[in-house]
Amino acid sequence: MIHRKAAKHKRGGPLRPAVLLALAALPLAMGAGDVRRGGDPFDDEPNFLPVEQAFVFAARLEVEPARRLVARWTMPDGYYLYRHKVAFEADGPDVLGELAIADGEHKVDDYFGEVEVYYHGVEASVAVRQRKGVLAARVSYQGCADYGLCYPLQTRTVAFDAATGRAVVP
């Protein structure tokens, strides 16, 4: 069995607090806190988030003051959503109105050319004409990561009691 003596510091004392603090901050400075990199400071390949984490989706049906279906996306740094890929659909004619969404940031995209995109978050809505029964709608969207991955078009189905706005299982 081989035994090794523990190495001692020349001064024999503990490391200074400032040095410990600098060593503790080193992984963050090297990218370990960057969700796009997956925490390995020496890995040059991006580690992309699953679509559900890259584009956190939520929807609600507002009944007052006006009946409207609202969708919200929240994205971490480095991810963006395309304006032209946001769409609402419902079964039946004349159930939903026109899309209302803020102007996006202009970007020249490798996949679609000149587009409007949203970083960090965006909310979109449509007027709802249905007043009774279950409103079932499909919300479609697509986005990308700045590091070069475009996610496929996503569609989420949402359902609400049209009279109360409460979510129901589709």
Side-chain angles (χ1 to χ4, degrees):
M1 180 179 250
I2 299 174
H3 295 282
R4 294 181 185 222
K5 291 184 180 181
K8 292 185 178 181
H9 298 287
K10 284 187 175 181
R11 294 184 186 197
L15 289 174
R16 297 187 190 280
V19 172
L20 289 175
L21 187 59
L23 289 173
L26 187 60
L28 287 174
M30 295 180 73
D34 188 340
V35 296
R36 295 162 293 177
R37 295 282 181 194
D40 184 352
F42 301 106
D43 185 3
D44 286 338
E45 292 297 314
N47 215 3
F48 298 106
L49 293 172
V51 69
E52 298 83 15
Q53 293 175 19
F55 308 97
V56 178
F57 172 79
R60 68 185 185 276
L61 177 61
E62 296 178 350
V63 294
E64 294 295 331
R67 191 173 310 277
R68 65 187 192 130
L69 178 58
V70 181
R72 170 109 184 120
W73 294 268
T74 305
M75 293 82 70
D77 288 344
Y79 292 84
Y80 58 91
L81 193 71
Y82 292 112
R83 181 177 196 216
H84 73 281
K85 292 295 187 173
V86 173
F88 291 72
E89 293 181 311
D91 293 331
D94 208 33
V95 174
L96 302 178
E98 293 295 314
L99 177 67
I101 190 169
D103 290 339
E105 180 179 320
H106 291 276
K107 178 178 180 71
V108 177
D109 184 81
D110 292 339
Y111 297 97
F112 295 112
E114 239 179 86
V115 293
E116 284 184 66
V117 299
Y118 304 98
Y119 282 94
H120 306 291
V122 66
E123 192 170 276
S125 66
V126 291
V128 175
R129 295 181 186 98
Q130 181 177 334
R131 298 199 173 275
K132 294 191 266 183
V134 173
L135 168 69
R138 291 166 300 286
V139 181
S140 300
Y141 57 94
Q142 184 177 12
C144 293
D146 280 334
Y147 281 99
L149 174 69
C150 251
Y151 291 83
L153 185 68
Q154 301 295 305
T155 301
R156 300 287 181 257
T157 300
V158 296
F160 299 92
D161 180 303
T164 66
R166 279 182 255 173
V168 296
V169 177

